[in-house]
Amino acid sequence: MNRAISKVRSPSEIVPFEGRSRPLSPTYRFGKRWVLQSGGLIGLWVAAYSFFDSVSSGSLVPTSIPTLYAVPAAAILVGLVATLAEELVGVVRQTAGLGMAETVDHPQIIEDVTSQIEASYKERKWDVVLRFGRVMIRPLWIAGRYQSLTKLGEMMETAASSKGSAEDQITALIDPLGWTTYKLGKIDFAVKNIKHGLRIAEEHKMSSLAYKAYRHLAGIAIDRGDLIESDENICSAVRMIDVIKDKKEKKSAEAGILLTKGLLSSKKGLVQESLEYFLSSRKMFKDLRDEERYVKLFQYIAESYMKLGNPNEALDAYRKGVDEAVRIQRSDAIIANALGAAELYENGKEGGRASECYFLAADACSAMGLAADAQLYRNKAMVLIRS
């Protein structure tokens, strides 16, 4: 899903999306690397054999091409081993958090690691569950694997309780079992877990985790339309930010609370104020090089421009949001921005471009396991193509 998208000002001036409609499969990429590795080894062997055979014959010019039997076959096997080694190194790097976007773009890696966590959980290897669980929370969230993430949260919470690890238990309660379950529609269950995690965080004076819990609660209150409760939770989150000592962590929290304030202002109908909050938050996340959260801001900025009656600015924001979300494979942001752009394209009588956006949204839904939504958007795309 690597699609290049140009910046434009008007729907009629849009350059079509270019590039592949879908990413190459991991099996194809592996096979391609294997062929290249083996081919390179065979080439080196042929060259070396010919050169030394010619030298031994008193000539620097090859006099014959060697027969390709046993040695090239061995080269193919060595190529396979080398390719497997490359894949293993890639898994180690990604599970260590050194390649977030690459991990999201390799679903098999996610499946392999989560399967290993499940196996360790069954064997009551709590240290392994927590060590790999910490690493996998963010990739699963970015990939939109919410069901897998909540299952991981259950395993982590049990492991953390057994080990007496308060930090891991809080993390499991407020993120996988809190915010993620809220996204799955289990509102009361989510609020209960977040508040439980918040109590433990405050008991252990873990201000960063307490801040996150308050921010999640504020977000839920905003969605529910409870503006008073959301204001109170935002104020509590700000108090937690004031005592965070790590400078980068503090800056990230400040950027996050600006996003939440923007959502609250939008709910209150203060659109220009919300836009300013969103723009400030996006800039801070960009400065922090926090790509996952930086990408999330585009849809809110676009929605604000639409409310202010600026569809061209909104389209620019949606298109840039799609481009950035595809680059790091953040599925939920791909869907939100692609659907926003599709609506504007349809309004501008740009059915072809709208269909391309619907296909992008469908691909992202498929990656998240949302089969019904994926089919819905593919159907919309096909209707536009036929019209």
Side-chain angles (χ1 to χ4, degrees), residues 102-223:
E102 291 85 351
T103 304
V104 174
D105 197 28
H106 290 71
Q108 189 56 49
I109 293 174
I110 292 178
E111 296 298 332
D112 290 345
V113 176
T114 50
S115 295
Q116 182 58 52
I117 293 172
E118 287 182 31
S120 299
Y121 177 79
K122 291 176 182 177
E123 296 174 8
R124 303 174 70 84
K125 295 180 179 178
W126 306 134
D127 288 329
V128 176
V129 171
L130 295 176
R131 183 164 59 252
F132 282 92
R134 295 182 203 113
V135 172
M136 291 305 298
I137 288 176
R138 195 65 187 164
L140 286 170
W141 171 256
I142 298 301
R145 304 291 188 86
Y146 298 156
Q147 296 287 357
S148 297
L149 184 50
T150 55
K151 186 174 181 179
L152 173 64
E154 291 170 358
M155 292 188 289
M156 286 187 67
E157 205 276 333
T158 299
S161 299
S162 301
K163 286 285 295 181
S165 175
E167 183 175 358
D168 288 315
Q169 184 180 12
I170 297 164
T171 298
L173 287 167
I174 66 177
D175 280 335
L177 298 178
W179 189 247
T180 306
T181 55
Y182 169 68
K183 288 296 184 181
L184 290 171
K186 302 175 182 178
I187 301 173
D188 293 336
F189 181 73
V191 170
K192 177 183 176 182
N193 286 330
I194 294 171
K195 288 183 175 179
H196 183 195
L198 175 59
R199 283 194 297 272
I200 301 172
E202 291 183 327
E203 286 173 6
H204 289 79
K205 300 187 184 304
M206 295 182 178
S207 53
S208 296
L209 291 172
Y211 147 77
K212 184 180 283 190
Y214 278 123
R215 186 165 60 83
H216 286 340
L217 292 172
I220 293 171
I222 291 170
D223 287 347

Side-chain angles (χ1 to χ4, degrees), residues 192-339:
K192 177 183 176 182
N193 286 330
I194 294 171
K195 288 183 175 179
H196 183 195
L198 175 59
R199 283 194 297 272
I200 301 172
E202 291 183 327
E203 286 173 6
H204 289 79
K205 300 187 184 304
M206 295 182 178
S207 53
S208 296
L209 291 172
Y211 147 77
K212 184 180 283 190
Y214 278 123
R215 186 165 60 83
H216 286 340
L217 292 172
I220 293 171
I222 291 170
D223 287 347
R224 286 175 155 180
D226 192 336
L227 305 186
I228 295 176
E229 183 179 341
S230 59
D231 260 326
E232 291 174 351
N233 284 313
I234 287 174
C235 290
S236 297
V238 170
R239 286 199 301 273
M240 293 298 105
I241 292 174
D242 289 340
V243 295
I244 294 176
K245 295 180 180 179
D246 183 86
K247 290 183 179 180
K248 185 175 181 180
E249 197 173 330
K250 190 185 191 76
K251 201 74 174 176
S252 179
E254 290 171 348
I257 209 63
L258 285 176
L259 167 57
T260 306
K261 286 181 176 180
L263 294 173
L264 179 57
S265 294
S266 180
K267 198 76 171 183
K268 290 178 178 179
L270 305 173
V271 182
Q272 185 60 47
E273 181 179 278
S274 69
L275 176 59
E276 291 169 4
Y277 277 131
F278 294 145
L279 290 171
S280 297
S281 178
R282 185 179 67 176
K283 183 181 184 304
M284 291 179 72
F285 280 130
K286 184 177 182 180
D287 292 343
L288 289 164
R289 298 183 179 180
D290 187 337
E291 292 185 322
E292 291 82 20
R293 294 180 177 88
Y294 165 73
V295 165
K296 185 68 176 174
L297 267 298
F298 284 95
Q299 71 185 81
Y300 299 126
I301 291 168
E303 289 166 3
S304 297
Y305 279 131
M306 284 299 296
K307 291 176 183 177
L308 291 170
N310 298 320
N312 288 331
E313 286 81 357
L315 184 58
D316 279 352
Y318 278 134
R319 284 170 55 82
K320 180 64 173 176
V322 170
D323 194 19
E324 293 295 312
V326 167
R327 182 175 61 81
I328 68 167
Q329 293 296 290
R330 175 155 188 170
S331 300
D332 60 342
I334 294 173
I335 295 167
N337 287 288
L339 293 179

Side-chain angles (χ1 to χ4, degrees), residues 26-53:
T27 302
Y28 177 90
R29 286 192 295 263
F30 181 88
K32 183 178 179 180
R33 289 203 305 273
W34 182 11
V35 169
L36 291 174
Q37 293 270 20
S38 302
L41 288 169
I42 291 173
L44 286 172
W45 176 74
V46 170
Y49 184 99
S50 301
F51 177 76
F52 288 110
D53 183 61

Side-chain angles (χ1 to χ4, degrees), residues 4-64:
I5 305 173
S6 309
K7 286 185 179 179
V8 292
R9 301 296 300 172
S10 167
S12 62
E13 299 170 350
I14 299 299
V15 177
F17 291 92
E18 299 172 354
R20 297 193 309 271
S21 60
R22 289 172 178 78
L24 297 174
S25 70
T27 302
Y28 177 90
R29 286 192 295 263
F30 181 88
K32 183 178 179 180
R33 289 203 305 273
W34 182 11
V35 169
L36 291 174
Q37 293 270 20
S38 302
L41 288 169
I42 291 173
L44 286 172
W45 176 74
V46 170
Y49 184 99
S50 301
F51 177 76
F52 288 110
D53 183 61
S54 300
V55 170
S56 64
S57 302
S59 172
L60 292 178
V61 180
T63 56
S64 64

